[in-house]
Amino acid sequence: MSYLTSSPIDVASLLLEARDSDGALCLFLGVVRNENEGRPTTGIQYEAYGSMAETEMERIARLLATEFPDVELRMQHRVGRLSVGEASVAVVALSPHRSEAFAACRAAIDRIKTTVPIWKKEFHPDGSSHWVDPTKK
Amino acid sequence: MSYLTSSPIDVASLLLEARDSDGALCLFLGVVRNENEGRPTTGIQYEAYGSMAETEMERIARLLATEFPDVELRMQHRVGRLSVGEASVAVVALSPHRSEAFAACRAAIDRIKTTVPIWKKEFHPDGSSHWVDPTKK
Amino acid sequence: MQIRILHFASFRDAVGRDADVRELSEGTRVRDLWASLGHEVPLFARFRAMPPAAVNREYVSGETVLQDGDEVAFLPPVAGG
Amino acid sequence: MQIRILHFASFRDAVGRDADVRELSEGTRVRDLWASLGHEVPLFARFRAMPPAAVNREYVSGETVLQDGDEVAFLPPVAGG
């Protein structure tokens, strides 16, 4: 399965089939909001450097597998034009106990946001748009 | 909606309908595992002091609403006999940003496990069973 | 006055019933009730401290004075999730 | 030698294309390429430090020496999630 998808993220299928030893599942969903930094938003265009984003998410998965050996991790990031309320990213962490499930899920989404080459252009009610720069806050 | 259910938890419906201001969703699922404390398990019977469990989960929800005013919280706990792989508890926290979603979700499941009057009897492959006592570890 | 006691999980197994109705004298505290149950239920007598108790579905301290019609429960260690 | 440069998001908007092919002399480092692009693209000239760069889909430092056939990208601040 690839980490990027241009179709709506199928959350139900990401949740399926825990291992018999899994007692905990933590899912994180990033959802398109109706505002950002105080400005109303009507939608977001996600653009990826696709081949590198796949490589980078694979690298994140490999590192987290070392840091959390009991955790099974599933990640998917959507690309394309999304409306308010749609999921842009999903991370699922399954593990025997809940502490590692929460920690691995949180670490995964934090790293995805930091290193995976994906960009977003926000659209506003007045028709204008701009590329989001998280380093300028 | 009541917090306790004797039917399988409908996770999909718990995930539906974020508010337009929600940018983050964190779901925790507790799942019946195939072993506990080193002993193989074939299933778990969850028993609740139903009316008090509802009151107590409502109290947890109220306290967390004060601690995390931006978070919308949904919780459900299953009762009855469950097999390995079935979800026993679900917590969903929706919020504008991910930090509170993770924190509220984690706080909710930690408190559910500590104060809600629910008990579990584990069944083993040899047909024996016992009530789990988390204070004896 | 009359109160109702509910028994759950391992406590129900120990008592052999899931509920009891009991006549108490005015002023009986939750901890007095627990102490009297200890004379009847061997498992309860083995507790050094009173387990968590609820009156009318709310956690209470042992000092709580019981009232006519109360629903009382002593709770084995909870294990939800 | 020949390399390919990919432009994404705000950088693509600034360059006006999503890719360029370019002839470079042997020994050209990533930071040399960035400096030369700064002479052509006003947005790039405004950067005090080189942005994160990738060669063949892996993050690299500015000292990395480019090879024939490399796929190079300078990356605007990422904003996934």
Side-chain angles (χ1 to χ4, degrees):
Chain A
M1 196 180 77
S2 66
Y3 292 109
L4 300 186
T5 174
S6 53
S7 314
I9 295 174
D10 182 354
V11 176
S13 78
L14 284 177
L15 299 180
L16 283 181
E17 295 191 47
R19 299 164 298 185
D20 279 356
S21 57
D22 288 324
L25 179 155
C26 184
L27 161 74
F28 175 81
L29 286 182
V31 180
V32 175
R33 312 173 55 209
N34 63 357
E35 70 101 16
N36 189 28
E37 306 283 309
R39 253 188 109 177
T41 303
T42 57
I44 294 183
Q45 170 85 25
Y46 283 90
E47 173 181 329
Y49 179 1
S51 54
M52 181 179 172
E54 295 281 355
T55 302
E56 190 59 24
M57 288 181 79
E58 179 59 37
R59 197 181 63 85
I60 292 171
R62 241 181 6 247
L63 284 173
L64 289 172
T66 309
E67 293 168 43
F68 299 96
D70 293 338
V71 171
E72 183 190 328
L73 199 68
R74 302 164 186 175
M75 305 184 286
Q76 201 154 56
H77 202 299
R78 177 115 177 252
V79 291
R81 175 76 183 253
L82 278 71
S83 305
V84 171
E86 287 194 275
S88 54
V89 60
V91 175
V92 173
L94 288 144
S95 84
H97 300 289
R98 70 186 183 286
S99 285
E100 317 94 82
F102 274 105
C105 189
R106 178 66 197 259
I109 183 61
D110 287 354
R111 293 181 199 186
I112 287 171
K113 283 175 177 269
T114 314
T115 68
V116 179
I118 295 177
W119 300 274
K120 59 182 173 193
K121 183 186 255 181
E122 285 181 356
F123 292 85
H124 306 291
D126 63 6
S128 68
S129 65
H130 77 282
W131 291 104
V132 175
D133 180 353
T135 64
K136 285 191 184 148
K137 278 200 175 168
Chain B
M1 196 180 77
S2 65
Y3 292 109
L4 299 186
T5 174
S6 53
S7 314
I9 295 174
D10 182 354
V11 177
S13 78
L14 285 177
L15 299 180
L16 283 181
E17 294 191 48
R19 298 163 298 184
D20 280 355
S21 57
D22 288 324
L25 180 155
C26 184
L27 160 74
F28 175 81
L29 285 182
V31 180
V32 175
R33 311 173 57 207
N34 64 359
E35 70 100 16
N36 188 29
E37 307 283 308
R39 253 189 108 175
T41 304
T42 56
I44 294 183
Q45 170 85 25
Y46 284 91
E47 172 181 330
Y49 179 1
S51 54
M52 181 179 172
E54 295 280 354
T55 302
E56 190 59 24
M57 287 181 81
E58 179 59 36
R59 197 181 63 84
I60 291 171
R62 243 183 3 250
L63 284 172
L64 288 172
T66 310
E67 294 168 43
F68 300 95
D70 293 338
V71 170
E72 183 190 330
L73 199 69
R74 302 165 185 175
M75 304 184 287
Q76 202 155 55
H77 202 299
R78 176 116 178 250
V79 291
R81 175 77 184 252
L82 279 71
S83 305
V84 171
E86 287 194 274
S88 54
V89 61
V91 176
V92 173
L94 288 143
S95 84
H97 300 290
R98 71 187 183 286
S99 284
E100 317 94 83
F102 274 105
C105 189
R106 178 65 196 258
I109 183 62
D110 287 353
R111 292 181 201 186
I112 287 171
K113 284 173 177 268
T114 313
T115 69
V116 178
I118 295 177
W119 300 274
K120 60 182 172 193
K121 184 186 253 181
E122 285 182 356
F123 292 85
H124 306 292
D126 63 5
S128 68
S129 65
H130 77 282
W131 291 103
V132 174
D133 180 352
T135 65
K136 286 192 184 144
K137 276 198 175 167
Chain C
M1 65 176 197
Q2 205 175 59
I3 58 119
R4 193 151 169 265
I5 314 178
L6 305 182
H7 308 294
F8 295 99
S10 57
F11 285 8
R12 183 192 50 240
D13 291 354
V15 174
R17 296 176 301 279
D18 49 24
D20 279 312
V21 171
R22 190 164 292 235
E23 288 290 336
L24 298 180
S25 49
E26 295 292 330
T28 302
R29 296 168 306 167
V30 169
R31 72 167 62 263
D32 302 327
L33 176 59
W34 174 253
S36 82
L37 291 173
H39 297 126
E40 306 164 25
V41 186
L43 174 71
F44 292 179
R46 295 213 302 268
F47 277 70
R48 268 174 292 176
M50 191 187 84
V55 172
N56 301 329
R57 299 161 295 285
E58 303 263 6
Y59 283 106
V60 296
S61 84
E63 303 311 313
T64 303
V65 176
L66 293 167
Q67 310 293 332
D68 186 47
D70 276 350
E71 176 179 297
V72 184
F74 297 98
L75 306 176
V78 302
Chain D
M1 66 177 195
Q2 206 175 58
I3 60 117
R4 192 153 170 264
I5 313 179
L6 305 182
H7 308 294
F8 295 99
S10 57
F11 286 7
R12 183 191 52 240
D13 291 353
V15 174
R17 295 177 301 282
D18 50 23
D20 280 312
V21 170
R22 189 164 291 235
E23 288 290 336
L24 299 179
S25 49
E26 296 291 328
T28 302
R29 296 168 308 169
V30 169
R31 70 168 62 262
D32 302 327
L33 176 59
W34 174 253
S36 81
L37 291 173
H39 297 127
E40 305 164 26
V41 185
L43 174 71
F44 292 0
R46 296 212 302 269
F47 277 70
R48 267 175 293 175
M50 190 187 85
V55 171
N56 301 328
R57 298 161 294 285
E58 302 263 7
Y59 284 105
V60 295
S61 84
E63 304 311 313
T64 303
V65 175
L66 293 167
Q67 310 292 333
D68 187 48
D70 276 351
E71 175 179 296
V72 184
F74 296 99
L75 307 176
V78 302

